[in-house]
Amino acid sequence: MIGVAETNRNPNPPTDITLLGLGAMGGALAAALLDAGHSVTVWNRTPGRDTDLVARGARTAGSAREAVSASPVVVACLLKHDSVHETLDPVVDALRGRTLVNVTTTTPNEARELASWAADHGVDYLDGAIMAVPAMISSRAGQIFYSGSRTAYDALLPIIETWATSEFHGEDAGRASLVDLAMLSGMYQMFAGFLHGAAMVGSVGMSAADFAARQAPFLAAMTGELAGFADVVDGGDYTVPNQQSLDFSDLSHIVRASQDQGVDPAPIAAVQALIDRQVAAGHGSEGFARVYESLRAGELVGR
Ligand code: FVH
């Protein structure tokens, strides 16, 4: 990964930018570009979403072709992978020789497919994965991961930094998306874990708000354990001392408690299944981090 400080800044970045897609995120990105003094051309499939941006100085394009033709840099912030092709396939001849920054959420393979499609049509392709909600755009709290064309990243850094903290993750166009989706995987499983706990205590009348007030500081403290797990995983030795063993980590009592309360134990049962696989493979005395091996191998038993 290449961080912001390690990039070659372009002292004369292009100032004309086209933004395709004026949904919640596209609108925020366009507004940030206008605030930074860029000349911004906007286009949206459904007319009428550009009113505020035009009032702030954006030029509006009557068609995707006109929008693409207006600037050397075209940013696509559309709903999904298919939307990008639906918008750009018919105008790909106009895109030739320009840079496409695609911040539409895609899977890694969809990003790679778009990079390959762009290369076939003479388009420099930079994929972006946004780790922010629209309200975080223009703040350093937001992060956007990029991968694909390093040339494009270096040239555009002064522009894309107006949106959020930028990180370049390499020339595999799918990598930014992969990191993004891996981050979201952890987040959604944490949310599901919280909701499962809320359902357990809800069965005896505790409100979700009461539970959240207790769970939030506990989870925040537990994130301090992540670096230790990471050290064990990266070191590849799950026998290092002072770890909680898989045998000790048996969670079947939580599964039973959930069932006893009439609550679906699916989230915690999934964790227990990962533990069981490693214990069955003879690794019960090793650390909890060993469940990584089952996940990484994509198979039921450890290597
Ligand atoms: N909003 C957020 O918090 C998240 C944060 C993380 C990253 N995402 C991704 O950003 C992409 C755009 O998200 P959005 O919030 O702007 O989404 P919407 O407000 O729903 O707007 C969607 C825009 O896409 C246009 N669109 C949809 N399908 C097509 C199509 N086939 N051809 C052309 N344009 C299309 C839609 O146009 P319209 O419905 O107004 O005509 C909107 O402009 C997204 O990948 C998030 O995952 C945001």
Side-chain angles (χ1 to χ4, degrees), residues 72-265:
V73 179
V74 176
V75 178
C77 186
L78 303 170
L79 190 61
K80 54 186 180 171
H81 176 253
D82 289 354
S83 324
V84 180
H85 273 303
E86 284 170 30
T87 302
L88 292 177
D89 281 357
V91 300
V92 72
D93 57 307
L95 204 53
R96 182 173 289 278
R98 302 178 200 274
T99 299
L100 174 61
V101 182
N102 179 38
V103 293
T104 305
T105 300
T106 64
T107 66
N109 279 346
E110 287 169 347
R112 292 176 186 124
E113 185 280 328
L114 280 164
S116 167
W117 168 86
D120 288 347
H121 292 93
V123 176
D124 204 13
Y125 183 84
L126 183 64
D127 201 82
I130 303 176
M131 297 294 309
V133 294
M136 290 161 73
I137 296 302
S138 295
S139 83
R140 303 312 293 168
Q143 298 179 75
I144 305 183
F145 304 143
Y146 294 92
S147 57
S149 168
R150 175 69 198 266
T151 307
Y153 180 78
D154 285 344
L156 299 179
L157 187 57
I159 296 170
I160 59 184
E161 271 190 314
T162 65
W163 292 333
T165 300
S166 304
E167 276 184 357
F168 186 69
H169 283 262
E171 296 198 342
D172 166 8
R175 193 165 161 134
S177 158
L178 183 63
V179 178
D180 175 45
L181 299 185
M183 298 268 283
L184 293 176
S185 174
M187 182 190 78
Y188 279 111
Q189 289 177 84
M190 180 188 73
F191 288 161
F194 161 70
L195 293 168
H196 175 250
M200 287 179 73
V201 297
S203 70
V204 293
M206 183 185 277
S207 72
D210 276 357
F211 185 62
R214 290 157 177 79
Q215 179 86 103
F218 180 68
L219 287 179
M222 288 300 101
T223 61
E225 300 297 310
L226 299 184
F229 285 136
D231 283 346
V232 174
V233 168
D234 291 341
D237 179 5
Y238 299 97
T239 67
V240 292
N242 301 321
Q243 297 182 78
Q244 181 170 313
S245 72
L246 282 160
D247 285 335
F248 187 83
S249 305
D250 187 278
L251 307 176
S252 49
H253 58 302
I254 306 180
V255 174
R256 278 198 315 280
S258 178
Q259 289 167 330
D260 290 348
Q261 295 302 127
V263 171
D264 189 332

